[in-house]
Amino acid sequence: MKLKPAMAAPLRHALLGVVALAVLGGSAGCAQQSAQGLAGRRDGRDAGAGRDSGPAAPENSVDLGRRITEFTDRINQDGRYRIPAARDRRAVADGVRLLLDGDRAASEQVLGAAGYTVRTLTDRAAGGRQFAEIADATADGDATRGWGRVYVDLHGPARWSVQVPHPTADQRSEQLGLGLLRGAPGGVLILAGAYRTVGDGEGGAADAADVAHRSDSVFAAVADALADRRMPAVQVHGFADSSLPDHDVVVSPGKGDAGLPSARRLASGLRQEGLRVCEVWQRECGRLEGRTNVQGDHADAVGVPFLHVEHSRRVRFDDGLVAKAVQALVAVAGRWNAGRT
């Protein structure tokens, strides 16, 4: 059951404040839909090394949480999606790579060929930290193509990513991604732009917007590009409480084992926060084990850690529990930022 619009936005904005305060002030597959609920370059160099003169001057002072929530609130089952051509997928992924390499001018030029642009945002709700927003250049592109957005922490090299493939369908999963981006340095947030069951309006392909299970998306292209840069990733999802009633979170290293040490640490951290965890390497966790996600497949192919983490509706709709889940994720991402797994 989705909250009424009049209630959802204020409650989500309140949640963002709680998560941000809890994280910033702290110590350091979805196979069943729930409508209820870069570390270094491939040559080993730090992503972002050699940036000309630090982050660009702020173009917009915003509450990043409100901005992202307003974007995801517009995603619904009646929305539109268009499968991007290979050249567009490549352009957005290349634009992200160039930005992480510190060449913003080249990044903007390449992104422009796909109708994307880069904006520098100052997040006034997170102490004035700066983030790059890579998104459609126009609101019309957001609405008619549904290719999503990428957010990059501009204070230091990018070393890990958090992926949100099913915003709105997995209600409030974007709040987990946002909380993690704000809570740990060195992050890149990849955010899908369409409801997962929406088909391609031009080609007629069903569920074309389910980016976790399709490789022909901007989302997958960017995720693969970051994995090729040896950047570990966590992909956050949501499940209905009835799917696994005795657990709050399902933690999986995806298809491979490169992420298993991080998965164990995350599960331990979640337990320390009082959450009930199902570890897929220990027992069956229903149809929530994240073995078929294409981003996990690519991470396994290149030997990079990938975590698939499912959160119950109970967790996602409780601001205090979201803050606890984010705190455990932040501890793992903090190790990744320090170059440890």
Side-chain angles (χ1 to χ4, degrees):
M1 177 183 70
K2 187 172 181 179
L3 295 177
K4 294 181 179 179
M7 297 174 60
L11 186 54
R12 289 188 180 190
H13 298 153
L15 170 61
L16 290 172
V18 172
V19 172
L21 289 174
V23 173
L24 294 175
S27 56
C30 261
Q32 176 172 345
Q33 176 186 346
S34 169
Q36 298 182 57
L38 285 146
R41 294 196 206 174
R42 301 183 75 172
D43 60 7
R45 295 173 57 192
D46 281 345
R51 292 181 178 175
D52 330 289
S53 56
E59 298 166 7
N60 295 292
S61 177
V62 302
D63 178 332
L64 188 64
R66 181 181 295 272
R67 185 177 183 88
I68 288 176
T69 299
E70 289 175 348
F71 170 69
T72 57
D73 279 348
R74 295 193 295 269
I75 296 173
N76 57 65
Q77 297 176 71
D78 298 323
R80 298 169 65 186
Y81 181 75
R82 191 174 83 218
I83 297 175
R87 64 177 179 278
D88 292 321
R89 301 195 300 268
R90 185 168 53 252
V92 178
D94 286 346
V96 172
R97 280 193 291 256
L98 287 164
L99 183 68
L100 297 183
D101 287 340
D103 194 341
R104 176 162 176 155
S107 173
E108 290 177 335
Q109 182 176 8
V110 170
L111 289 167
Y116 264 58
T117 192
V118 183
R119 303 177 182 92
T120 300
L121 307 177
T122 300
D123 186 5
R124 57 176 177 264
R129 287 172 60 193
Q130 288 188 333
F131 298 88
E133 177 186 79
I134 299 172
D136 269 287
T138 66
D140 182 65
D142 263 345
T144 61
R145 304 194 300 183
W147 293 350
R149 297 179 175 182
V150 179
Y151 290 87
V152 179
D153 181 2
L154 291 178
H155 294 272
R159 299 190 184 277
W160 55 270
S161 73
V162 54
Q163 307 169 4
V164 184
H166 300 146
T168 306
D170 292 356
Q171 288 178 291
R172 296 193 176 187
S173 56
E174 68 273 11
Q175 309 305 326
L176 295 156
L178 170 64
L180 179 52
L181 180 69
R182 278 173 159 173
V188 178
L189 168 63
I190 311 173
L191 184 63
Y195 200 91
R196 62 176 297 182
T197 59
V198 172
D200 178 20
E202 295 184 354
D207 295 351
D210 186 0
V211 296
H213 299 102
R214 294 185 64 108
S215 58
D216 57 351
S217 69
V218 165
F219 186 99
V222 174
D224 290 355
L226 301 189
D228 289 343
R229 298 172 73 98
R230 316 303 303 168
M231 292 176 61
V234 55
Q235 189 173 102
V236 293
H237 293 263
F239 67 91
D241 292 351
S242 58
S243 298
L244 208 63
D246 295 330
H247 294 89
D248 298 311
V249 186
V250 179
V251 179
S252 169
K255 181 179 179 180
D257 293 327
L260 187 55
S262 295
R264 292 183 186 276
R265 289 190 180 90
L266 176 59
S268 177
L270 289 165
R271 286 200 178 91
Q272 290 175 19
E273 296 290 345
L275 297 173
R276 301 169 299 171
V277 185
C278 188
E279 300 166 319
V280 304
W281 58 93
Q282 294 283 9
R283 53 158 291 174
E284 291 186 3
C285 300
R287 300 176 62 195
L288 301 167
E289 299 185 351
R291 305 288 195 188
T292 61
N293 292 39
V294 298
Q295 293 79 27
D297 288 346
H298 186 79
D300 178 51
V302 297
V304 172
F306 174 86
L307 302 183
H308 181 279
V309 189
E310 294 268 2
H311 301 79
S312 69
R313 185 179 189 275
R314 184 180 86 91
V315 169
R316 287 174 286 117
F317 274 72
D318 184 310
D319 54 0
L321 294 180
V322 167
K324 289 176 181 293
V326 167
Q327 189 67 21
L329 289 166
V330 164
V332 171
R335 289 180 61 89
W336 288 345
N337 186 58
R340 296 178 292 171
T341 57

PDB file of all heavy atoms in Angstrom, residues 97-119:
ATOM      1  N   ARG A  97      32.590   8.322 -16.293  1.00  0.00           N
ATOM      2  CA  ARG A  97      34.020   8.016 -16.181  1.00  0.00           C
ATOM      3  C   ARG A  97      34.859   9.286 -16.299  1.00  0.00           C
ATOM      4  O   ARG A  97      35.792   9.507 -15.512  1.00  0.00           O
ATOM      5  CB  ARG A  97      34.439   7.022 -17.263  1.00  0.00           C
ATOM      6  CG  ARG A  97      34.104   5.571 -16.942  1.00  0.00           C
ATOM      7  CD  ARG A  97      34.819   4.628 -17.894  1.00  0.00           C
ATOM      8  NE  ARG A  97      34.276   4.737 -19.253  1.00  0.00           N
ATOM      9  CZ  ARG A  97      33.466   3.831 -19.803  1.00  0.00           C
ATOM     10  NH1 ARG A  97      33.084   2.772 -19.106  1.00  0.00           N
ATOM     11  NH2 ARG A  97      33.029   3.977 -21.030  1.00  0.00           N
ATOM     12  N   LEU A  98      34.535  10.120 -17.266  1.00  0.00           N
ATOM     13  CA  LEU A  98      35.304  11.346 -17.460  1.00  0.00           C
ATOM     14  C   LEU A  98      35.168  12.286 -16.267  1.00  0.00           C
ATOM     15  O   LEU A  98      36.141  12.938 -15.855  1.00  0.00           O
ATOM     16  CB  LEU A  98      34.845  12.047 -18.741  1.00  0.00           C
ATOM     17  CG  LEU A  98      35.282  11.373 -20.049  1.00  0.00           C
ATOM     18  CD1 LEU A  98      34.472  11.891 -21.225  1.00  0.00           C
ATOM     19  CD2 LEU A  98      36.773  11.594 -20.281  1.00  0.00           C
ATOM     20  N   LEU A  99      33.982  12.358 -15.695  1.00  0.00           N
ATOM     21  CA  LEU A  99      33.806  13.201 -14.519  1.00  0.00           C
ATOM     22  C   LEU A  99      34.655  12.684 -13.360  1.00  0.00           C
ATOM     23  O   LEU A  99      35.301  13.465 -12.655  1.00  0.00           O
ATOM     24  CB  LEU A  99      32.330  13.246 -14.116  1.00  0.00           C
ATOM     25  CG  LEU A  99      32.022  14.164 -12.920  1.00  0.00           C
ATOM     26  CD1 LEU A  99      32.243  15.625 -13.303  1.00  0.00           C
ATOM     27  CD2 LEU A  99      30.604  13.952 -12.424  1.00  0.00           C
ATOM     28  N   LEU A 100      34.670  11.375 -13.168  1.00  0.00           N
ATOM     29  CA  LEU A 100      35.471  10.807 -12.094  1.00  0.00           C
ATOM     30  C   LEU A 100      36.962  10.995 -12.336  1.00  0.00           C
ATOM     31  O   LEU A 100      37.757  11.052 -11.395  1.00  0.00           O
ATOM     32  CB  LEU A 100      35.155   9.324 -11.920  1.00  0.00           C
ATOM     33  CG  LEU A 100      33.726   8.983 -11.498  1.00  0.00           C
ATOM     34  CD1 LEU A 100      33.580   7.485 -11.285  1.00  0.00           C
ATOM     35  CD2 LEU A 100      33.307   9.733 -10.248  1.00  0.00           C
ATOM     36  N   ASP A 101      37.349  11.116 -13.600  1.00  0.00           N
ATOM     37  CA  ASP A 101      38.744  11.392 -13.938  1.00  0.00           C
ATOM     38  C   ASP A 101      39.091  12.871 -13.781  1.00  0.00           C
ATOM     39  O   ASP A 101      40.245  13.260 -13.942  1.00  0.00           O
ATOM     40  CB  ASP A 101      39.041  10.969 -15.378  1.00  0.00           C
ATOM     41  CG  ASP A 101      39.112   9.462 -15.536  1.00  0.00           C
ATOM     42  OD1 ASP A 101      39.312   8.771 -14.518  1.00  0.00           O
ATOM     43  OD2 ASP A 101      38.951   8.974 -16.671  1.00  0.00           O
ATOM     44  N   GLY A 102      38.098  13.692 -13.482  1.00  0.00           N
ATOM     45  CA  GLY A 102      38.347  15.110 -13.262  1.00  0.00           C
ATOM     46  C   GLY A 102      38.215  15.984 -14.489  1.00  0.00           C
ATOM     47  O   GLY A 102      38.530  17.173 -14.430  1.00  0.00           O
ATOM     48  N   ASP A 103      37.726  15.445 -15.593  1.00  0.00           N
ATOM     49  CA  ASP A 103      37.595  16.231 -16.821  1.00  0.00           C
ATOM     50  C   ASP A 103      36.119  16.573 -17.038  1.00  0.00           C
ATOM     51  O   ASP A 103      35.419  15.931 -17.818  1.00  0.00           O
ATOM     52  CB  ASP A 103      38.150  15.450 -18.012  1.00  0.00           C
ATOM     53  CG  ASP A 103      38.348  16.320 -19.240  1.00  0.00           C
ATOM     54  OD1 ASP A 103      37.736  17.409 -19.299  1.00  0.00           O
ATOM     55  OD2 ASP A 103      39.099  15.913 -20.142  1.00  0.00           O
ATOM     56  N   ARG A 104      35.662  17.599 -16.366  1.00  0.00           N
ATOM     57  CA  ARG A 104      34.252  17.940 -16.426  1.00  0.00           C
ATOM     58  C   ARG A 104      33.848  18.432 -17.811  1.00  0.00           C
ATOM     59  O   ARG A 104      32.752  18.108 -18.290  1.00  0.00           O
ATOM     60  CB  ARG A 104      33.903  19.002 -15.380  1.00  0.00           C
ATOM     61  CG  ARG A 104      32.460  19.469 -15.470  1.00  0.00           C
ATOM     62  CD  ARG A 104      31.968  20.159 -14.249  1.00  0.00           C
ATOM     63  NE  ARG A 104      30.610  20.655 -14.436  1.00  0.00           N
ATOM     64  CZ  ARG A 104      29.769  20.872 -13.445  1.00  0.00           C
ATOM     65  NH1 ARG A 104      30.130  20.629 -12.200  1.00  0.00           N
ATOM     66  NH2 ARG A 104      28.561  21.347 -13.677  1.00  0.00           N
ATOM     67  N   ALA A 105      34.686  19.208 -18.456  1.00  0.00           N
ATOM     68  CA  ALA A 105      34.337  19.734 -19.779  1.00  0.00           C
ATOM     69  C   ALA A 105      34.093  18.600 -20.769  1.00  0.00           C
ATOM     70  O   ALA A 105      33.103  18.606 -21.515  1.00  0.00           O
ATOM     71  CB  ALA A 105      35.443  20.658 -20.287  1.00  0.00           C
ATOM     72  N   ALA A 106      34.985  17.618 -20.775  1.00  0.00           N
ATOM     73  CA  ALA A 106      34.807  16.476 -21.671  1.00  0.00           C
ATOM     74  C   ALA A 106      33.584  15.662 -21.269  1.00  0.00           C
ATOM     75  O   ALA A 106      32.839  15.159 -22.125  1.00  0.00           O
ATOM     76  CB  ALA A 106      36.054  15.603 -21.662  1.00  0.00           C
ATOM     77  N   SER A 107      33.361  15.545 -19.965  1.00  0.00           N
ATOM     78  CA  SER A 107      32.193  14.816 -19.485  1.00  0.00           C
ATOM     79  C   SER A 107      30.911  15.456 -19.989  1.00  0.00           C
ATOM     80  O   SER A 107      30.006  14.775 -20.491  1.00  0.00           O
ATOM     81  CB  SER A 107      32.195  14.783 -17.950  1.00  0.00           C
ATOM     82  OG  SER A 107      30.998  14.211 -17.452  1.00  0.00           O
ATOM     83  N   GLU A 108      30.811  16.769 -19.868  1.00  0.00           N
ATOM     84  CA  GLU A 108      29.609  17.477 -20.317  1.00  0.00           C
ATOM     85  C   GLU A 108      29.392  17.312 -21.817  1.00  0.00           C
ATOM     86  O   GLU A 108      28.257  17.155 -22.277  1.00  0.00           O
ATOM     87  CB  GLU A 108      29.714  18.950 -19.944  1.00  0.00           C
ATOM     88  CG  GLU A 108      29.607  19.199 -18.444  1.00  0.00           C
ATOM     89  CD  GLU A 108      29.783  20.666 -18.096  1.00  0.00           C
ATOM     90  OE1 GLU A 108      30.435  21.384 -18.890  1.00  0.00           O
ATOM     91  OE2 GLU A 108      29.271  21.095 -17.050  1.00  0.00           O
ATOM     92  N   GLN A 109      30.483  17.347 -22.571  1.00  0.00           N
ATOM     93  CA  GLN A 109      30.363  17.205 -24.022  1.00  0.00           C
ATOM     94  C   GLN A 109      29.830  15.828 -24.392  1.00  0.00           C
ATOM     95  O   GLN A 109      28.923  15.690 -25.229  1.00  0.00           O
ATOM     96  CB  GLN A 109      31.713  17.447 -24.683  1.00  0.00           C
ATOM     97  CG  GLN A 109      31.665  17.369 -26.200  1.00  0.00           C
ATOM     98  CD  GLN A 109      33.019  17.709 -26.831  1.00  0.00           C
ATOM     99  OE1 GLN A 109      34.019  17.850 -26.140  1.00  0.00           O
ATOM    100  NE2 GLN A 109      33.037  17.843 -28.148  1.00  0.00           N
ATOM    101  N   VAL A 110      30.377  14.782 -23.768  1.00  0.00           N
ATOM    102  CA  VAL A 110      29.946  13.419 -24.075  1.00  0.00           C
ATOM    103  C   VAL A 110      28.513  13.189 -23.612  1.00  0.00           C
ATOM    104  O   VAL A 110      27.687  12.606 -24.328  1.00  0.00           O
ATOM    105  CB  VAL A 110      30.908  12.407 -23.424  1.00  0.00           C
ATOM    106  CG1 VAL A 110      30.357  10.996 -23.524  1.00  0.00           C
ATOM    107  CG2 VAL A 110      32.285  12.483 -24.073  1.00  0.00           C
ATOM    108  N   LEU A 111      28.184  13.655 -22.406  1.00  0.00           N
ATOM    109  CA  LEU A 111      26.833  13.487 -21.886  1.00  0.00           C
ATOM    110  C   LEU A 111      25.806  14.226 -22.737  1.00  0.00           C
ATOM    111  O   LEU A 111      24.673  13.762 -22.916  1.00  0.00           O
ATOM    112  CB  LEU A 111      26.760  13.983 -20.440  1.00  0.00           C
ATOM    113  CG  LEU A 111      27.466  13.122 -19.398  1.00  0.00           C
ATOM    114  CD1 LEU A 111      27.579  13.883 -18.084  1.00  0.00           C
ATOM    115  CD2 LEU A 111      26.729  11.807 -19.189  1.00  0.00           C
ATOM    116  N   GLY A 112      26.210  15.374 -23.263  1.00  0.00           N
ATOM    117  CA  GLY A 112      25.289  16.154 -24.081  1.00  0.00           C
ATOM    118  C   GLY A 112      24.797  15.398 -25.300  1.00  0.00           C
ATOM    119  O   GLY A 112      23.666  15.603 -25.753  1.00  0.00           O
ATOM    120  N   ALA A 113      25.625  14.497 -25.819  1.00  0.00           N
ATOM    121  CA  ALA A 113      25.218  13.716 -26.985  1.00  0.00           C
ATOM    122  C   ALA A 113      24.053  12.785 -26.657  1.00  0.00           C
ATOM    123  O   ALA A 113      23.307  12.373 -27.553  1.00  0.00           O
ATOM    124  CB  ALA A 113      26.403  12.893 -27.494  1.00  0.00           C
ATOM    125  N   ALA A 114      23.869  12.475 -25.367  1.00  0.00           N
ATOM    126  CA  ALA A 114      22.760  11.612 -24.939  1.00  0.00           C
ATOM    127  C   ALA A 114      21.644  12.414 -24.276  1.00  0.00           C
ATOM    128  O   ALA A 114      20.721  11.834 -23.705  1.00  0.00           O
ATOM    129  CB  ALA A 114      23.270  10.550 -23.973  1.00  0.00           C
ATOM    130  N   GLY A 115      21.731  13.742 -24.359  1.00  0.00           N
ATOM    131  CA  GLY A 115      20.699  14.573 -23.743  1.00  0.00           C
ATOM    132  C   GLY A 115      20.828  14.692 -22.242  1.00  0.00           C
ATOM    133  O   GLY A 115      19.863  15.036 -21.548  1.00  0.00           O
ATOM    134  N   TYR A 116      22.030  14.419 -21.715  1.00  0.00           N
ATOM    135  CA  TYR A 116      22.307  14.512 -20.288  1.00  0.00           C
ATOM    136  C   TYR A 116      23.175  15.730 -19.992  1.00  0.00           C
ATOM    137  O   TYR A 116      23.779  16.314 -20.896  1.00  0.00           O
ATOM    138  CB  TYR A 116      23.015  13.246 -19.795  1.00  0.00           C
ATOM    139  CG  TYR A 116      22.100  12.204 -19.185  1.00  0.00           C
ATOM    140  CD1 TYR A 116      21.045  11.676 -19.925  1.00  0.00           C
ATOM    141  CD2 TYR A 116      22.280  11.753 -17.893  1.00  0.00           C
ATOM    142  CE1 TYR A 116      20.205  10.713 -19.374  1.00  0.00           C
ATOM    143  CE2 TYR A 116      21.443  10.799 -17.327  1.00  0.00           C
ATOM    144  CZ  TYR A 116      20.407  10.283 -18.072  1.00  0.00           C
ATOM    145  OH  TYR A 116      19.563   9.344 -17.532  1.00  0.00           O
ATOM    146  N   THR A 117      23.247  16.098 -18.730  1.00  0.00           N
ATOM    147  CA  THR A 117      24.095  17.209 -18.315  1.00  0.00           C
ATOM    148  C   THR A 117      24.617  16.956 -16.913  1.00  0.00           C
ATOM    149  O   THR A 117      24.179  16.017 -16.238  1.00  0.00           O
ATOM    150  CB  THR A 117      23.321  18.541 -18.361  1.00  0.00           C
ATOM    151  OG1 THR A 117      24.239  19.633 -18.212  1.00  0.00           O
ATOM    152  CG2 THR A 117      22.270  18.613 -17.246  1.00  0.00           C
ATOM    153  N   VAL A 118      25.569  17.782 -16.471  1.00  0.00           N
ATOM    154  CA  VAL A 118      26.121  17.701 -15.116  1.00  0.00           C
ATOM    155  C   VAL A 118      25.775  18.975 -14.369  1.00  0.00           C
ATOM    156  O   VAL A 118      25.974  20.076 -14.884  1.00  0.00           O
ATOM    157  CB  VAL A 118      27.659  17.530 -15.134  1.00  0.00           C
ATOM    158  CG1 VAL A 118      28.194  17.386 -13.701  1.00  0.00           C
ATOM    159  CG2 VAL A 118      28.075  16.358 -15.982  1.00  0.00           C
ATOM    160  N   ARG A 119      25.262  18.829 -13.179  1.00  0.00           N
ATOM    161  CA  ARG A 119      24.994  19.964 -12.297  1.00  0.00           C
ATOM    162  C   ARG A 119      25.741  19.749 -10.989  1.00  0.00           C
ATOM    163  O   ARG A 119      25.748  18.646 -10.455  1.00  0.00           O
ATOM    164  CB  ARG A 119      23.501  20.108 -12.004  1.00  0.00           C
ATOM    165  CG  ARG A 119      22.627  20.265 -13.246  1.00  0.00           C
ATOM    166  CD  ARG A 119      21.147  20.324 -12.871  1.00  0.00           C
ATOM    167  NE  ARG A 119      20.294  20.416 -14.055  1.00  0.00           N
ATOM    168  CZ  ARG A 119      19.768  19.372 -14.685  1.00  0.00           C
ATOM    169  NH1 ARG A 119      20.002  18.139 -14.242  1.00  0.00           N
ATOM    170  NH2 ARG A 119      19.005  19.540 -15.749  1.00  0.00           N
TER     171      ARG A 119
END
